[in-house]
Amino acid sequence: MTNATDQRESPRGERLADWADARLGLYTIAKANMRKIFPDHWSFMLGEVCLWSFVVLVLTGIYLTFFFHPSMNEIVYHGSYEPLNGVAMSEAFASTLDISFDVRGGLLIRQMHHWAALIFVAGMLVHMMRHFFTGSFRKPREVNWVFGWTMLVLGMFEGFVGYSLPDDLLSGTGLRFVEGAILSVPIIGTYLSMFLFGGEFPGTELVPRFYSVHILLFPGLIAALIVVHMILLVYHKHTQWTGPGKTNHNVVGMPFLPVYLAKTTGFFFLVASVIAVISAVASINPVWTYGPYRPDQVSTNAQPDWYMGFSEGLIRIMPGWEINVAGHTLVLGVLIPLIVFPIILLVIGLYPFFESWITGDKREHHLLDRPRNRPVRTGLGVAWLSVYFLLLIAGGNDLFATRFHLSINAVTWFIRVALFVVPVAAFLITKRICLGLQNRDKEKVLHGRETGIIRRLPQGEYVEVHQPLSPAEQHTLTAHEQYQPLDPGPAEDANGIPHKLSRRERFRTRLSRAYFGPSAQVAKPTREEMQRNKEEVTHSIEH
């Protein structure tokens, strides 16, 4: 009787919570995770830019589905945009015009959707580069890196598919480019093209097929990967920068509830607001200026979105080579870039396993590397980015030629040569900068920070007074771990028989020496050196 009375007197919300907890165990899950600690650093917000821009994409995409007609049936347009009245076009293009000019808020939502897509992919690229340069992809996060890489690839193709839906002259030109790439595939190219377009290009099925992929398949896969990505983030715990009190066994920061939850909620509104402001003041993809797609026309200044520009750049700078094999013509000018494109992406996805193989390190890592302390890795990342941006420029070689009054052949040849020169130069310069920064850090640890105060010693010598670093600063500058190159072992065994390494092991040893040898890192100061120089700095201050 007492229990029944207490139950009737308890608040309805509490009774509902007890009911749910008894059946779902929500309280136990919440208790274990709501107080989870998240470190506080601006670079960790890059992932949230991706997350919240994806949310904006979903919300705006749902709104657009109410008004977009994914059909390639031809109609004659009679709408608010008078310059195109009486022009034959597909229902997809006509509905895009209606969204832009007749649906209340339609143009703003459509531009928010497009801008959010660009920011989403850009955020993922920058987010992955942050993970790459700081080494947070190491064990146990290799799988999570692969999930993030998969989301980046899916996001690129999701953007391309959505870009093609309006069926305007610009997107149609891009699809013609894709058709040419598919036809270059030996043996099965024509079959793939007929399957994709539902017949001869442009066919009648492409927009409905792309629409289903754009609103169901790719978003569903990305959403599922985001959920798994976040679960693994919670399971592995968050990485953090080195500092006093920070180890591989703890996380220093703020609890998820209420501090981080309030912070991330506010950040969502900030990201959404920035996207809305950009969309309100900067026009993007004004399809009415291009007109509907016609196979006999090509849009001037036709350029893909930036994240697919490097794939077009590969084809634009490739010589128009062709060879005949068994009576068949292989268009190498298109086929080779089509092979190189996925290889460039694949190298990024597999890099964590490559570095793990070189180091042979099987330990868990929860502390981040400062990029300067991994000169070779940082140099490789900068070299890859230089290749990416060179190919992005190559994708718009005609624009650079016309805007700067240059020969398009000169621009193309410049990019061809630069692709072999710039990445090597970028690697060497970046590596040298990292080594210089390491030397500066070592100098700070040993001799302290420069104060600008000049003193004259009794023997007449002038010296600058240095201020010793605090223990916290010394720890931050010396906490990083330095790998040693792999030891190939003695040249001979105990019986005088030469010890031979396999080609694989010799290659691994050379790579290890290149990554972690004396030319790739500056040795940290020893404890004895630090103590001796501390006494010298203290003596210079006192005298």
Side-chain angles (χ1 to χ4, degrees):
M1 186 66 179
T2 302
N3 292 339
T5 303
D6 293 342
Q7 187 175 6
R8 285 195 302 271
E9 292 177 352
S10 60
R12 181 178 300 177
E14 183 177 338
R15 295 201 305 271
L16 179 60
D18 290 339
W19 182 90
D21 181 58
R23 291 156 180 80
L24 303 175
L26 297 178
Y27 176 75
T28 304
I29 297 175
K31 184 179 180 181
N33 294 287
M34 289 299 100
R35 300 296 294 176
K36 180 176 177 61
I37 300 299
F38 285 83
D40 186 18
H41 193 272
W42 67 266
S43 63
F44 300 142
M45 306 301 288
L46 295 172
E48 295 197 31
V49 172
C50 309
L51 174 63
W52 298 133
S53 57
F54 179 74
V55 172
V56 173
L57 272 172
V58 172
L59 295 177
T60 54
I62 292 173
Y63 182 87
L64 293 175
T65 57
F66 294 140
F67 308 101
F68 182 73
H69 301 291
S71 172
M72 298 183 72
N73 294 331
E74 189 173 281
I75 62 171
V76 177
Y77 177 72
H78 296 286
S80 300
Y81 189 68
E82 293 186 2
L84 290 178
N85 273 333
V87 175
M89 61 184 64
S90 66
E91 289 188 49
F93 187 78
S95 65
T96 304
L97 294 179
D98 291 338
I99 291 172
S100 302
F101 297 107
D102 298 313
V103 176
R104 186 178 297 275
L107 181 58
L108 175 63
I109 298 299
R110 181 173 157 263
Q111 295 205 148
M112 285 184 65
H113 191 71
H114 202 138
W115 276 113
L118 296 181
I119 293 173
F120 175 59
V121 180
M124 285 194 292
L125 180 62
V126 176
H127 183 55
M128 287 196 69
M129 288 298 99
R130 197 275 292 179
H131 283 285
F132 178 85
F133 287 121
T134 61
S136 63
F137 54 76
R138 294 171 294 175
K139 182 181 178 180
R141 295 176 182 84
E142 304 98 329
V143 175
N144 220 9
W145 167 272
V146 173
F147 286 154
W149 173 83
T150 305
M151 281 190 281
L152 175 62
V153 175
L154 287 175
M156 292 170 57
F157 285 99
E158 166 76 340
F160 173 77
V161 170
Y163 171 86
S164 305
L165 289 180
D167 197 30
D168 60 294
L169 187 57
L170 184 61
S171 65
T173 303
L175 287 173
R176 178 64 107 177
F177 170 85
V178 171
E179 185 216 15
I182 293 175
L183 290 175
S184 70
V185 178
I187 302 175
I188 61 173
T190 52
Y191 298 98
L192 289 175
S193 177
M194 295 289 284
F195 172 77
L196 179 63
F197 296 103
E200 292 289 341
F201 181 85
T204 59
E205 303 296 329
L206 185 65
V207 169
R209 290 179 180 180
F210 273 20
Y211 184 70
S212 299
V213 171
H214 183 69
I215 69 169
L216 292 176
L217 179 60
F218 283 166
L221 291 174
I222 292 174
L225 286 170
I226 288 176
V227 172
V228 176
H229 193 71
M230 298 301 293
I231 290 174
L232 288 178
L233 171 65
V234 174
Y235 176 72
H236 293 147
K237 76 182 182 181
H238 211 292
T239 55
Q240 58 186 343
W241 293 97
T242 56
K246 299 178 181 179
T247 68
N248 267 317
H249 308 290
N250 69 350
V251 179
V252 178
M254 304 174 299
F256 177 77
L257 190 71
V259 179
Y260 198 80
L261 179 61
K263 183 177 179 179
T264 191
T265 302
F267 196 65
F268 162 69
F269 289 108
L270 179 62
V271 171
S273 299
V274 170
I275 292 174
V277 170
I278 295 175
S279 304
V281 301
S283 176
I284 188 170
N285 199 23
V287 295
W288 52 88
T289 64
Y290 310 131
Y293 177 67
R294 287 180 52 181
D296 61 334
Q297 293 183 356
V298 175
S299 174
T300 57
N301 295 337
Q303 302 293 321
D305 282 334
W306 70 268
Y307 47 85
M308 297 298 289
F310 79 102
S311 61
E312 182 165 336
L314 279 168
I315 291 183
R316 290 198 183 193
I317 65 170
M318 184 68 191
W321 295 340
E322 293 183 359
I323 61 173
N324 292 317
V325 178
H328 298 278
T329 301
L330 294 182
V331 185
L332 299 183
V334 180
L335 180 60
I336 291 178
L338 193 64
I339 296 173
V340 172
F341 171 64
I343 291 177
I344 292 177
L345 296 176
L346 194 62
V347 167
I348 306 173
L350 298 180
Y351 182 83
F353 305 98
F354 174 72
E355 185 170 308
S356 175
W357 174 68
I358 294 176
T359 61
D361 189 359
K362 305 302 180 183
R363 299 167 301 165
E364 291 192 1
H365 294 272
H366 303 290
L367 294 177
L368 299 174
D369 290 330
R370 299 174 77 201
R372 67 183 61 181
N373 293 328
R374 294 289 182 262
V376 175
R377 181 206 294 157
T378 304
L380 290 174
V382 174
W384 184 89
L385 288 175
S386 70
V387 171
Y388 187 93
F389 287 115
L390 282 173
L391 292 176
L392 192 61
I393 294 173
N397 59 354
D398 54 339
L399 294 182
F400 282 91
T402 55
R403 293 296 187 274
F404 296 101
H405 307 289
L406 301 171
S407 165
I408 191 170
N409 288 330
V411 175
T412 301
W413 272 103
F414 172 80
I415 298 297
R416 288 174 178 172
V417 175
L419 270 178
F420 292 94
V421 175
V422 172
V424 176
F427 172 80
L428 295 176
I429 293 172
T430 303
K431 180 181 174 183
R432 178 54 54 189
I433 291 174
C434 290
L435 292 174
L437 292 173
Q438 285 188 47
N439 274 314
R440 190 183 71 170
D441 289 344
K442 184 175 182 179
E443 188 72 14
K444 278 185 180 181
V445 172
L446 292 177
H447 303 291
R449 182 178 288 104
E450 297 176 354
T451 63
I453 301 174
I454 306 298
R455 287 185 178 176
R456 183 180 181 184
L457 299 181
Q459 62 270 28
E461 180 185 0
Y462 288 92
V463 296
E464 182 181 12
V465 177
H466 287 69
Q467 181 68 34
L469 299 182
S470 66
E473 291 175 315
Q474 286 189 351
H475 174 81
T476 301
L477 296 180
T478 59
H480 60 281
E481 180 182 6
Q482 291 190 319
Y483 290 102
Q484 296 302 316
L486 294 177
D487 185 6
E492 298 179 350
D493 61 16
N495 299 320
I497 299 176
H499 177 64
K500 293 185 178 181
L501 294 175
S502 64
R503 290 183 178 180
R504 180 173 178 272
E505 287 301 318
R506 287 200 302 269
F507 179 62
R508 182 186 178 193
T509 302
R510 292 193 187 100
L511 286 176
S512 177
R513 191 180 303 115
Y515 263 73
F516 310 113
S519 63
Q521 57 185 353
V522 176
K524 294 192 298 183
T526 63
R527 188 179 298 275
E528 292 75 16
E529 289 176 326
M530 292 171 60
Q531 182 62 34
R532 183 171 60 253
N533 283 275
K534 180 180 178 181
E535 294 173 357
E536 293 178 1
V537 171
T538 304
H539 183 268
S540 68
I541 294 177
E542 293 176 350
H543 297 82

